[in-house]
Amino acid sequence: MPGGCSRGPAAGDGRLRLARLALVLLGWVSSSSLPSSASSSTSSALPVSAASAQPQLPGRCPPACECSEAARTVKCVNRNLTEVPADLPPYVRNLFLTGNQLAVLPAGAFARRPPLAELAALNLSGSHLEEVRAGAFEHLPSLRQLDLSHNPLADLSPFAFSGGNASVAAPSPLVELLLNRIVPPAAERQNRSFEGTVAAALRAGHALRGLRRLELVSNHLLYLPRDVLAQLPGLRHLDLRNNSLVSLTYVSFRNLTHLESLHLENNALKVLHNGTLAELQSLPHVRVFLDDNPWVCDCHMADMVAWLKETEVVQGKARLTCAFPEKMRNRVLLELDSSDLECDPILPPSLQTSYVFLGIVLALIGAIFLLVLYLNRKGIKKWMHNIRDACRDHMEGYHYRYEINADPRLTNLSSNSDV
């Protein structure tokens, strides 16, 4: 139809104009959205050259790390990093810096702008750390868990967890502190006690009063310094496994009223004395683990055996066995009676001291006597010669008389001469 043919081109031109108008509007909308970088869909539509020209934003991931903003986790693992990355994203909540070459952790090592206010878990294990300086963990207000395990910490500052001045610094937010296998080689200890170094860091001010878990596994600890736990009243879990502790005489658990678990497996404990037993019994919630210690079953063990039979504090107490003496080896502690626990007779300590003093006095007298003999050696030699000559003359007289009495002819001669 003519009318239909005449309307066809007009309708096509109208649709074309509408399409052009839509394209213009779409271009205007896309051009107005280019300056905004907040929307991820718009920024993904940008050309590659424009995106590369943008400055690095604080939320970007460091080149040597793997980041997950959804999990709020950053992993910089086995990258041989020598320092903490400076461009960590502020959203990070879990930071892994394991297997690196950090060596030294200076003061303010994690100070950033904007601050890492969300960082709650920090893992620095196996990063060859040798020195942690005062205030190394400042500016981390949400830090709850810190793992420094498997680092040869030759120099751990007393203020590593409390800042440069523990008396005025705010308490640390730490809840869990893992210091497993951090003992340095003997040549790097600089004539300082490793036990004392760790104790100083734990006792500094009141920084760790909120700490609930402390792990000191496999550190070759020979003893626990006095009051090492005095500033940790909130402690709930204490792990001291696989050390070389021989006694708990000097350490006090009295103030750890919230302690729930105490791991003492694989140490060198021989006996627990009455003071320690009373303190452990007074803790209302504690569970104690004492497996794999070389218990010495002699008369000094009687109180501990009686305590084990009555208490419910010790977990797995039926597994505890004697290691010494040889005749008691592998005997179960709970099956021992007082008649089984004997001691070899020894002198009382007071008498032992008297004998030691007497030995020292006699040794001194002997030394003085030898000195006098040495100084008078010439006179003594002359005196000995005189005695020898006198004895010789005397013996010659006896010898002459013996010869006369033994020979009958000389005897008759002496009789005739008398006549």
Side-chain angles (χ1 to χ4, degrees):
M1 295 176 58
C5 294
S6 62
R7 287 194 301 270
D13 291 342
R15 288 194 296 269
L16 182 61
R17 284 196 295 271
L18 288 174
R20 287 177 179 175
L21 180 60
L23 289 175
V24 170
L25 291 174
L26 181 62
W28 179 79
V29 170
S30 61
S31 64
S32 62
S33 63
L34 282 176
S36 175
S37 59
S39 173
S40 59
S41 60
T42 306
S43 61
S44 63
L46 289 174
V48 175
S49 60
S52 61
Q54 294 291 331
Q56 188 173 10
L57 298 177
R60 298 293 179 88
C61 187
C65 305
E66 300 176 1
C67 305
S68 172
E69 185 172 359
R72 297 185 179 275
T73 299
V74 175
K75 294 182 178 180
C76 311
V77 179
N78 297 327
R79 298 292 185 175
N80 291 324
L81 300 176
T82 58
E83 60 182 8
V84 179
D87 50 352
L88 291 170
Y91 64 74
V92 61
R93 184 172 296 168
N94 306 296
L95 177 58
F96 295 86
L97 290 170
T98 61
N100 290 291
Q101 303 288 333
L102 298 180
V104 177
L105 207 59
F110 298 91
R112 300 291 185 274
R113 185 170 295 183
L116 304 178
E118 300 295 326
L119 184 59
L122 175 58
N123 193 329
L124 291 162
S125 62
S127 288
H128 296 87
L129 274 172
E130 299 178 1
E131 181 181 1
V132 177
R133 296 177 181 170
F137 305 103
E138 286 185 318
H139 311 291
L140 296 176
S142 300
L143 187 62
R144 298 292 185 270
Q145 184 185 73
L146 175 61
D147 190 351
L148 292 174
S149 302
H150 302 278
N151 287 295
L153 289 179
D155 190 358
L156 178 63
S157 170
F159 307 108
F161 310 117
S162 60
N165 190 343
S167 61
V168 299
S172 171
L174 277 177
V175 174
E176 297 186 11
L177 179 58
L178 281 63
L179 300 174
N180 302 324
R181 203 182 292 274
I182 62 169
V183 59
E188 299 179 9
R189 298 184 193 179
Q190 303 174 355
N191 297 325
R192 292 185 298 178
S193 166
F194 175 72
E195 291 87 352
T197 300
V198 174
L202 297 176
R203 284 188 304 216
H206 303 282
L208 298 176
R209 293 185 66 84
L211 196 67
R212 295 189 177 184
R213 175 181 291 275
L214 175 61
E215 295 186 8
L216 292 168
V217 178
S218 300
N219 284 314
H220 306 297
L221 298 173
L222 296 174
Y223 67 98
L224 293 178
R226 190 181 302 275
D227 297 333
V228 64
L229 306 173
Q231 302 297 334
L232 307 175
L235 202 61
R236 297 179 184 270
H237 305 281
L238 177 59
D239 198 340
L240 296 167
R241 285 177 292 180
N242 198 28
N243 284 288
S244 301
L245 297 173
V246 297
S247 175
L248 301 177
T249 303
Y250 299 107
V251 68
S252 175
F253 302 97
R254 188 178 297 107
N255 66 316
L256 304 182
T257 55
H258 301 287
L259 191 64
E260 297 177 3
S261 65
L262 174 60
H263 289 270
L264 293 166
E265 302 100 310
N266 288 289
N267 276 279
L269 296 172
K270 297 175 176 58
V271 65
L272 298 182
H273 296 288
N274 286 340
T276 303
L277 300 178
E279 288 189 357
L280 293 178
Q281 192 63 40
S282 67
L283 301 178
H285 312 294
V286 72
R287 294 174 298 155
V288 183
F289 301 84
L290 297 172
D291 299 273
D292 301 316
N293 281 281
W295 304 110
V296 177
C297 296
D298 57 12
C299 59
H300 303 292
M301 177 64 74
D303 293 332
M304 179 177 170
V305 169
W307 177 74
L308 285 174
K309 292 179 179 180
E310 297 177 359
T311 187
E312 298 298 329
V313 167
V314 180
Q315 305 298 301
K317 59 183 180 180
R319 297 190 300 266
L320 303 183
T321 58
C322 304
F324 302 100
E326 184 65 30
K327 64 179 182 179
M328 301 291 290
R329 188 181 297 274
N330 296 327
R331 291 279 303 273
V332 178
L333 266 61
L334 290 179
E335 298 177 358
L336 299 179
D337 296 323
S338 57
S339 59
D340 299 322
L341 302 172
E342 300 176 351
C343 283
D344 295 331
I346 57 175
L347 296 174
S350 59
L351 193 56
Q352 291 182 13
T353 304
S354 300
Y355 277 121
V356 170
F357 180 73
L358 178 60
I360 294 174
V361 171
L362 292 177
L364 183 60
I365 293 174
I368 294 174
F369 179 72
L370 292 176
L371 180 62
V372 171
L373 291 179
Y374 177 77
L375 295 177
N376 293 278
R377 60 188 182 279
K378 292 183 179 180
I380 294 173
K381 184 177 181 181
K382 184 178 179 181
W383 178 71
M384 293 295 292
H385 287 169
N386 292 336
I387 293 178
R388 185 189 61 183
D389 294 340
C391 290
R392 181 185 299 165
D393 294 340
H394 196 66
M395 291 302 295
E396 286 179 354
Y398 276 114
H399 182 67
Y400 176 72
R401 292 178 184 176
Y402 175 76
E403 289 180 348
I404 292 176
N405 294 331
D407 191 345
R409 294 174 298 172
L410 293 178
T411 303
N412 296 331
L413 180 60
S414 64
S415 300
N416 297 330
S417 62
D418 292 340
V419 175

